[in-house]
Each structure stands twice: as C-alpha cells, then as structure tokens.
Amino acid sequence: MASVNDRWHIRDRGTGKTTRSSRYGQGKRWQVRYRDPDGQSRNRSFDRRVDADRFRVEVEHQLSRGGYVDERSGRVLFADYAADWLARQIQEPTSLQALEVRLRVHMLPTWGPWPLAKITPSAVQRWVVELHEGISAGYVRLILVNFGAILRSAVDEGILASSPVASSLVRAPAIPPRKVTPWNVERLLSVTAQLPPRWRPLAAVAAGCGLRQGEAFGLRVHDIDFDRQVVHVRQQIRLEDGRPVPALPKYRRTRSVPLPSWVGEQLEASTREHAPLGGERSDRPGLGGLLFYTRERKPLNRNYFNPTVWRPALLAAGVPNDRDNGMHALRHTCASLWLEHGVSIKAVSEYLGHADPGFTLRVYTHVMPSSGDKARRAMDAALGRGGAPTHAGADAGAPWAHETVTEGGH
C-alpha cells in the first residue's frame, strides 16, 4: 500500500522526537511512496499534505482494482499518440481523409503539445466552447467524438486512467432541430424539366427510388431488374483524392428498392440512347454497365455535376440554390411520398438504406400529416361516427390494440 512521508523531518524511533532533516525547506515536503504492480518502488512529492493524501487514496484505489496507470506514460504528447492512433485505424479511404483533416485542423493546434495526462475535463470543455463559436454544433460533436476515441484508446492501452472526455463536465453543444422540407410534385417536375435530357433519368431514379446522389451516379444496367421492377443498390460513386471511383454503398450495405414504372421507362429509354459502359459486369463495385458517365466515359464527379448541371436547373426553375435544394432533396421527396401513401417506417428505412428505422422516424415524422386522419378514419370505420359500435359481424370488428393494420400490404 502507499504511505505519506515528511521529507523535511526525521523521527527518532527510540525517543519519538522529530528533528529537521538535511532537506528541510528544500523542494516539496510530502512524498507518497508505493510499489507498482511489477513491484517497482515509485514516489511522488507534493507541497501540501492534503494533496499527498488525496494522491495516496487514488493510487491505492487503482492498485486494488487493477487499474493502475504509470503516470510517466501520460507524458506522451497528444500529437505523437494521435499520429500513432490514426495509423492504426481501418476505415474507408474517404473516412480516413476526413478524420485526418479534423485531427490536423481542429485538434492538433490546441492539443498537439499537451501531455496526455495533463488534458483535463475543464480544459476540454473550454475548447468545445471555442470550437462552437466558429463551427456548427453537429461538427463540434463529431470532432469531440473523434477526440474522445483517441483518449479512450489511451485508456485501453493503460496510458491514462480515465478519459477526460467521459467526464460529466464535458458537454457537447445541442444540435438545433432542423426539419427536412421535401419538394412538392410541381417543383420536382419543374426542376427535372430544366435538366438536360441526358440527366433526367438520373433525377428520376433519385426521386423515384430514394437513391443518394452517389448511388444514382453508380447505377449500372445489370443493377436493374426491369421484369420484377426492382433496383439493386450495390455501389456508389464517391471521391477518393478528388477522383470519382466505384465503392460499396454507405455503411457497406447493399439493398433492393421498388422501381416505379415511370422511372423504369426513362431508364430503358436512356439505355437505348446511351449505351452503358463496357467492361466486366458483376455485383461487385465496378464501372462495367455504368449508365451515367461523362463524355470521356468516366464516372460523374459531384464537384462538376452540381455547379454545372444541377444548380443551373434550379435557377431556371426559380428554385433557391441553397442547402435544402441540393440533389438530396429528391431523396427526401421520395421518402415523404412513400410515407404519405402508407408505406411503413420500417420499409422506408430499408429502402433508403438507413442503419436505424428510428433515425428515419426522427427525420421524417413531421411529413406524415395524414396520420391523424388515418387514425380517425379507422375509429369511424370500426365504431361508427355516432360513437356507437357498428353492426358489423365479430370478424369484421376493430383490431385489438396489439394488432397492426397497414395499407397496401406494406
């Protein structure tokens, strides 16, 4: 166990009298001595007895619980540890690039020269407040998650006893609620009509099947089952080092989505007018069979498509060129129409490729204004408008509370 010793005084074991030592008045007075789990003698000195006692209790607690951390390990600089941590991450190239940017731009300028053990919850919270003065709450939260992951790794490696980010003193800024505003059909048709004919099927599949922009860019002819009216979302076109390349969809999850007849007709017409790219056609990401490509027969690059194709169509249709009206608005419109016509949240979540149906519900619950009407119609049909049960037979009565009624078989 640990002990606290007075370095300025010596007690005679025989007489019990205390005299000044040769170190009296020099250096820190109170020294905590203990042995680490390997049996090595350790010590740390303090100016005040109360601080020494506090450290003694802390180190005894760590030793008894098996959570002892050599304080010398915490002298590692954040910059050095973060560089090693980043090199050990296994993520998609684009995710690693974004992570490296957040580390370089937002973490290292503040924490680079700090020893890990010196990072405190109060210092982290001051940093969070400063970040929020210049960037959005959502981005601050993302940076804090990455910062916390680095420090949590240091805890797992026995370099830190605990992560300061895990303290109740550290609070991320709240994200203000932002409602998705889907387009109405008139705006959808107006913007689509302003696109060059070559790209109208691209907008149609995004609006009719709820594909992300990169997924629409990556659609291949063999991903479409025209007979069964299904689109198989097997890849996306994403940017890696500024170049558009095929890759698995977001979350590395493929999915199948219903293909509306009007979308299928446009896609079939497009394949007749513009032959899909040649090359091997397989379920794996690749360019063989690609439907939408440039004059150089390369995948579409969003950094070119958005300013030269999409934004001019918005302006021509009289639609503001802002964040709410990017090509992602087509996906929001598709989701809202599905929900409005009775497709279940679970099905919509699967069609959109969301990882969690709860996320779908949180994003789109406000675009379901007909829910109250449906509930009223259900009760009117079951019990009658006058408040009395109808004379329908028992087998045609209202469902029990635990039963689910859906429309259209969804």
Side-chain angles (χ1 to χ4, degrees):
M1 302 302 286
S3 62
V4 178
N5 302 281
D6 185 352
R7 299 175 65 250
W8 289 6
H9 295 88
I10 300 175
R11 174 172 291 183
D12 188 291
R13 295 183 179 181
T15 63
K17 292 184 178 180
T18 300
T19 58
R20 294 179 177 179
S21 70
S22 60
R23 297 177 178 176
Y24 181 82
Q26 301 176 13
K28 297 180 178 181
R29 178 176 178 178
W30 304 101
Q31 186 180 72
V32 180
R33 298 175 183 172
Y34 60 96
R35 291 188 179 275
D36 65 19
D38 296 327
Q40 298 294 317
S41 178
R42 305 290 185 191
N43 66 77
R44 182 175 173 182
S45 299
F46 298 86
D47 290 322
R48 302 190 308 165
R49 174 64 186 259
V50 65
D51 295 330
D53 287 336
R54 184 181 297 112
F55 179 75
R56 175 185 62 80
V57 171
E58 179 182 339
V59 77
E60 287 180 347
H61 180 68
Q62 292 178 1
L63 289 169
S64 65
R65 296 187 58 186
Y68 172 77
V69 174
D70 187 347
E71 62 176 2
R72 292 177 299 180
S73 300
R75 296 174 186 171
V76 176
L77 299 184
F78 177 83
D80 295 333
Y81 185 80
D84 178 69
W85 175 86
L86 184 63
R88 291 185 274 116
Q89 301 310 298
I90 302 176
Q91 297 185 27
E92 297 291 344
T94 52
S95 299
L96 281 176
Q97 291 170 9
L99 183 57
E100 188 278 330
V101 168
R102 291 191 289 272
L103 178 63
R104 172 169 46 84
V105 175
H106 298 291
M107 298 183 223
L108 292 180
T110 298
W111 303 112
W114 282 56
L116 293 177
K118 296 294 184 181
I119 300 176
T120 63
S122 58
V124 173
Q125 184 59 29
R126 286 194 294 271
W127 173 62
V128 168
V129 172
E130 292 173 359
L131 283 179
H132 191 33
E133 292 176 354
I135 57 181
S136 69
Y139 197 45
V140 171
R141 294 175 75 95
L142 179 58
I143 295 168
L144 188 60
V145 166
N146 296 151
F147 185 63
I150 296 172
L151 297 184
R152 187 167 59 252
S153 174
V155 173
D156 293 340
E157 291 193 72
I159 296 175
L160 293 177
S162 62
S163 169
V165 176
S167 169
S168 60
L169 297 177
V170 177
R171 296 185 178 182
I175 299 178
R178 179 176 177 270
K179 291 185 177 181
V180 168
T181 306
W183 289 357
N184 55 35
V185 174
E186 290 73 22
R187 172 172 287 190
L188 172 63
L189 296 176
S190 176
V191 172
T192 302
Q194 297 302 327
L195 289 170
R198 173 71 173 103
W199 306 123
R200 290 173 190 168
L202 175 69
V205 75
C209 299
L211 271 57
R212 300 178 177 95
Q213 185 181 54
E215 294 168 348
F217 285 178
L219 189 63
R220 301 165 298 184
V221 66
H222 56 282
D223 294 328
I224 307 169
D225 189 332
F226 290 103
D227 293 332
R228 291 186 173 87
Q229 291 188 291
V230 173
V231 169
H232 301 291
V233 184
R234 296 174 175 141
Q235 72 169 16
Q236 63 171 321
I237 298 298
R238 72 180 184 196
L239 295 183
E240 291 185 7
D241 296 324
R243 296 184 304 106
V245 297
L248 286 170
K250 192 174 183 179
Y251 308 122
R252 304 179 66 84
R253 296 175 58 183
T254 61
R255 65 188 191 278
S256 297
V257 183
L259 175 65
S261 299
W262 62 275
V263 177
E265 292 169 1
Q266 292 199 41
L267 291 175
E268 285 188 299
S270 178
T271 59
R272 291 192 297 268
E273 295 176 16
H274 306 277
L277 283 185
E280 180 187 359
R281 297 183 181 181
S282 72
D283 293 348
R284 299 187 304 274
L287 299 182
L290 195 68
L291 291 178
F292 305 110
Y293 47 86
T294 66
R295 286 176 294 183
E296 294 78 18
R297 305 184 71 78
K298 294 182 179 180
L300 294 176
N301 186 324
R302 67 171 185 262
N303 291 335
Y304 170 81
F305 183 88
N306 290 339
T308 62
V309 177
W310 183 255
R311 291 172 189 166
L314 291 179
L315 295 176
V319 176
N321 176 24
D322 57 26
R323 178 181 177 183
D324 291 332
N325 294 316
M327 192 171 169
H328 211 69
L330 303 180
R331 177 173 161 89
H332 292 322
T333 301
C334 179
S336 68
L337 289 172
W338 277 335
L339 292 169
E340 183 179 341
H341 288 81
V343 182
S344 71
I345 279 287
K346 185 176 185 300
V348 170
S349 180
E350 292 175 354
Y351 296 157
L352 293 176
H354 287 165
D356 173 26
F359 173 79
T360 312
L361 181 61
R362 290 191 296 273
V363 172
Y364 294 107
T365 186
H366 67 285
V367 300
M368 303 167 63
S370 60
S371 297
D373 292 335
K374 290 180 180 178
R376 284 187 287 272
R377 287 199 301 269
M379 287 297 99
D380 284 339
L383 300 177
R385 295 184 177 275
T390 64
H391 297 291
D395 58 342
W400 294 101
H402 65 272
E403 296 178 338
T404 301
V405 175
T406 56
E407 295 184 0
H410 296 291

